[in-house]
Amino acid sequence: MEVFNILAPGGYTTIQDAGRFGYQELGIPVTGVLDQPAFILANLLVGNPENTPALEITVQGPVMEALAPVDISVTGAQIGITINDRQVPEWHCIHLEKGDIVSIQQVQRGCRAYLALAGGFDVPEIMGSCSTYVGGKLGGFSGRAIQKGDILLSKKPKLNGRQRFIPDKLIPDYLSNKKIRAIPGPQDDYFDEGLDLFFNSEYLVTPDANRMGYRLQGPAVALRDGMPKSIVSEPSLPGCVQIPADEQPIILLVEQTVGGYAKIATIISSDLPKIAQATPGDVLKFEKTDIKTAGHIFKAQKDRMLKIRKALSY
Amino acid sequence: MNPDLFEKPKYRLVGDRGLLIEFGEGIHPEINEKVRKLSRSIKSIRPKGIIEVIPTYRSVLVVYDQDITNPQILKYFFRELEEQDQNDTATSRSVLEIPVCYGGKYGPDIETVAQTNQIDTDDVVALHSRETYQIYMIGFTPGFPFLGGLPEKLHTPRLETPRLTVPQGSVGIANNQTGIYPIESPGGWQLIGRTPLCLFDPSRSDPLLYRAGDSIKFKPITKKEFRIMAEKENN
């Protein structure tokens, strides 16, 4: 069933779910949403299973015409939403009538917003996921970002009996938090003073920041004497911080599977949403942590999500 | 014993979701054999909480779900497997034969490779198809194999200007590497031939015809054979 006609696609809008797992050894990157919690909450707000494909919106949102009555929600970055020019709130389940024009505007704080549709977007499941892998022209909406004129489909749009919302005090507050916790390694032994420098300096997000990786600018991180400038290609995970020949860190993200340079540290999974919400011009500060602390942070995040689920009466 | 092979594998954390098991330094068939055995053992048992098992030149990267397992449990388990692997002396590797039509429109750079090495194109075909190549790793694009063992007489620098599109199935050479482009993509390799086989198909239950740790041998075929095989693949 047709649900949306795309009148304007926005900055970079793709259909994503939690990711395509289990195929990295075939050279298929995980892709998927960069801000998992915001994505999950968008789905819960409209009564969807957590891993239902949604739209990932980057900086500038799309303008869409509803082709049927539907329920949607928008979470993540702070971003304006209007329906027929009437302002509506984020973190709420919103109802649209057929013919309504929904306009998602420009981010005010953060970088990426998530739009979930009750009943989910209908795209083929490829290798277990509906995420878009643009490099391989695979998945999502025909393996590419949404364009003007595209018609989005849903298998069975449902309408919610009640319009859920997340109370202000439970809305995750991380958009302005640029303290990024990372565990040293896997190639931390390639560095000596460079390691301390990395964890005690500020790094600017350059305009070369996207789903493949974020190039940073700041104090040069030098390898230990005698270490080779590049390593034999090795797999990377989202959050690995690579130090290439120019000694400026790059945060590797979700659109590739290997890297050829030493990885000084890896951002903990709980802090990846902060990267998802960072834009060029933001200043990041890396904080050294360990696996035990990372585990506590992970658990605390789980508990917070549980509280929100309860508030949504799940 | 290979000096670059570690006495005991080294375990490294990759953030809070990966465990890297390293067997040595550099590119050596011996080190890679250990990688191959451990990946195979882990995959055949699939302990709870493992999301990915990624073999590479000299290490295995295991991605896990921290809600279900943790590095200590995995380390303990892998050490057991690694010990068992030590006693497993069988070194059966599956060898995949890949039919390739060399030269002509399928291998526009075969002359360059020949001239660079002062041999003729028949020699290029003979040398290239005589070897059995080990797949060390797969990455960069879906199904792109990192192959070891290209004869020195075929080493040729990359193209000065990469092509915007390299046709799917193209077989190429770049410096000391040879490989295949399973999907159409930009590329800077010297193209010497093409395979009609569809190596990567996301809709198949097994999307890729090979894995890291397997070996590949190229088998020369004629243009006619190429056309027949290509037609079969499309149906």
Side-chain angles (χ1 to χ4, degrees):
Chain A
M1 173 173 182
E2 296 185 349
V3 285
F4 285 115
N5 176 18
I6 305 297
L7 304 177
Y12 187 77
T13 308
T14 53
I15 290 185
Q16 304 289 353
D17 58 22
R20 187 167 283 113
F21 298 102
Y23 298 96
Q24 192 168 332
E25 61 163 327
L26 306 192
I28 311 281
V30 167
T31 61
V33 295
L34 284 183
D35 186 342
Q36 296 270 353
F39 160 73
I40 290 171
L41 293 175
N43 275 321
L44 294 180
L45 279 164
V46 295
N48 283 344
E50 264 183 39
N51 191 21
T52 307
L55 293 181
E56 180 178 85
I57 289 161
T58 316
V59 178
Q60 173 80 43
V63 180
M64 317 188 295
E65 179 194 355
L67 301 175
V70 290
D71 282 348
I72 62 166
S73 71
V74 178
T75 63
Q78 193 179 329
I79 196 168
I81 313 157
T82 61
I83 297 176
N84 302 332
D85 295 327
R86 178 179 51 100
Q87 204 77 30
V88 291
E90 281 184 273
W91 307 97
H92 277 64
C93 175
I94 303 163
H95 181 70
L96 302 175
E97 289 298 340
K98 179 173 172 174
D100 280 349
I101 308 290
V102 56
S103 171
I104 320 281
Q105 289 150 2
Q106 186 156 39
V107 292
Q108 292 145 19
R109 252 196 335 147
C111 181
R112 289 176 173 86
Y114 295 86
L115 187 151
L117 168 76
F121 290 103
D122 182 14
V123 288
E125 187 183 277
I126 297 182
M127 287 155 65
S129 166
C130 296
S131 290
T132 312
Y133 170 32
V134 172
K137 298 195 188 92
L138 188 46
F141 192 92
S142 307
R144 60 169 174 76
I146 309 286
Q147 290 167 7
K148 176 176 172 173
D150 285 345
I151 304 288
L152 301 186
L153 308 174
S154 179
K155 275 202 188 109
K156 39 175 179 123
K158 356 186 297 269
L159 296 181
N160 284 263
R162 59 192 174 82
Q163 307 303 104
R164 293 185 177 89
F165 67 95
I166 298 178
D168 280 351
K169 68 179 194 310
L170 290 181
I171 292 175
D173 179 18
Y174 60 109
L175 294 180
S176 302
N177 188 335
K178 305 299 168 202
K179 189 181 72 172
I180 314 294
R181 291 160 296 193
I183 298 175
Q187 279 95 33
D188 49 324
D189 57 342
Y190 277 51
F191 304 88
D192 41 33
E193 294 134 24
L195 197 61
D196 285 322
L197 180 70
F198 175 74
F199 282 116
N200 284 295
S201 306
E202 293 190 333
Y203 287 93
L204 182 74
V205 177
T206 71
D208 200 351
N210 53 48
R211 289 172 53 87
M212 280 203 75
Y214 270 45
R215 259 185 216 274
L216 306 178
Q217 188 184 77
V221 181
L223 290 160
R224 243 178 46 202
D225 278 336
M227 300 312 286
K229 279 220 182 318
S230 67
I231 61 171
V232 168
S233 285
E234 279 211 346
S236 64
L237 292 187
C240 281
V241 182
Q242 197 170 238
I243 306 293
D246 64 6
E247 299 181 338
Q248 300 288 290
I250 302 180
I251 303 172
L252 299 178
L253 291 173
V254 301
E255 299 281 342
Q256 80 278 299
T257 59
V258 296
Y261 297 101
K263 298 182 266 304
I264 191 170
T266 305
I267 299 170
I268 64 173
S269 45
S270 307
D271 275 359
L272 283 179
K274 293 176 185 169
I275 306 300
Q277 300 301 345
T279 46
D282 281 346
V283 174
L284 308 179
K285 185 126 199 303
F286 292 97
E287 189 181 281
K288 181 155 65 163
T289 188
D290 54 57
I291 187 116
K292 199 158 166 211
T293 311
H296 293 146
I297 296 167
F298 181 78
K299 181 157 189 312
Q301 165 77 349
K302 255 178 80 172
D303 291 341
R304 272 195 300 274
M305 284 295 262
L306 202 63
K307 267 205 186 95
I308 300 177
R309 274 176 208 270
K310 285 210 177 103
L312 295 176
S313 306
Y314 275 99
Chain B
M1 167 139 127
N2 191 320
D4 289 332
L5 184 71
F6 297 152
E7 248 186 73
K8 277 180 122 57
K10 289 189 188 163
Y11 286 79
R12 297 180 186 279
L13 294 178
V14 185
D16 59 345
R17 45 161 125 183
L19 188 57
L20 188 66
I21 306 132
E22 277 179 355
F23 290 96
E25 298 280 354
I27 305 175
H28 297 287
E30 241 186 287
I31 296 176
N32 192 252
E33 182 58 20
K34 289 196 164 268
V35 168
R36 195 181 71 86
K37 280 198 178 133
L38 185 63
S39 327
R40 198 181 53 179
S41 303
I42 299 173
K43 280 196 258 187
S44 72
I45 301 180
R46 273 286 183 210
K48 272 178 25 194
I50 288 187
I51 300 170
E52 314 258 9
V53 180
I54 306 161
T56 80
Y57 284 95
R58 47 100 175 229
S59 55
V60 182
L61 173 61
V62 172
V63 181
Y64 64 90
D65 183 343
Q66 66 177 297
D67 234 343
I68 301 174
T69 188
N70 64 58
Q72 279 103 292
I73 297 177
L74 293 176
K75 232 189 256 195
Y76 178 75
F77 181 73
F78 295 154
R79 285 199 167 116
E80 295 260 321
L81 281 185
E82 216 269 319
E83 268 187 45
Q84 279 174 41
D85 286 344
Q86 297 239 36
N87 304 326
D88 168 20
T89 46
T91 47
S92 67
R93 253 171 201 275
S94 77
V95 182
L96 180 67
E97 197 179 69
I98 297 194
V100 177
C101 184
Y102 285 96
K105 67 172 177 181
Y106 298 129
D109 304 318
I110 199 169
E111 284 285 350
T112 308
V113 172
Q115 274 164 33
T116 304
N117 290 286
Q118 290 165 333
I119 54 179
D120 57 57
T121 54
D122 284 343
D123 294 327
V124 175
V125 176
L127 285 169
H128 192 257
S129 58
R130 197 180 59 190
E131 297 293 319
T132 301
Y133 301 96
Q134 218 159 302
I135 303 177
Y136 279 98
M137 187 169 80
I138 296 171
F140 275 131
T141 72
F144 188 94
F146 286 68
L147 300 178
L150 180 70
E152 240 183 277
K153 261 248 145 286
L154 292 178
H155 291 192
T156 312
R158 293 163 183 266
L159 295 177
E160 276 204 34
T161 311
R163 290 184 169 87
L164 284 176
T165 33
V166 171
Q168 174 181 321
S170 294
V171 176
I173 288 176
N175 302 311
N176 63 346
Q177 273 183 280
T178 187
I180 321 169
Y181 287 87
I183 63 171
E184 186 186 276
S185 68
W189 290 37
Q190 305 279 357
L191 306 181
I192 61 173
R194 203 183 305 173
T195 180
L197 285 189
C198 182
L199 302 170
F200 173 68
D201 182 351
S203 64
R204 279 196 304 239
S205 60
D206 191 354
L208 189 63
L209 295 184
Y210 45 78
R211 291 288 185 281
D214 293 341
S215 295
I216 284 181
K217 206 165 186 318
F218 296 102
K219 177 172 170 216
I221 59 171
T222 63
K223 285 204 279 264
K224 185 164 177 208
E225 285 169 320
F226 184 103
R227 275 197 299 269
I228 296 172
M229 284 188 204
E231 246 187 77
K232 255 204 226 145
E233 284 284 324
N234 289 333
N235 299 335

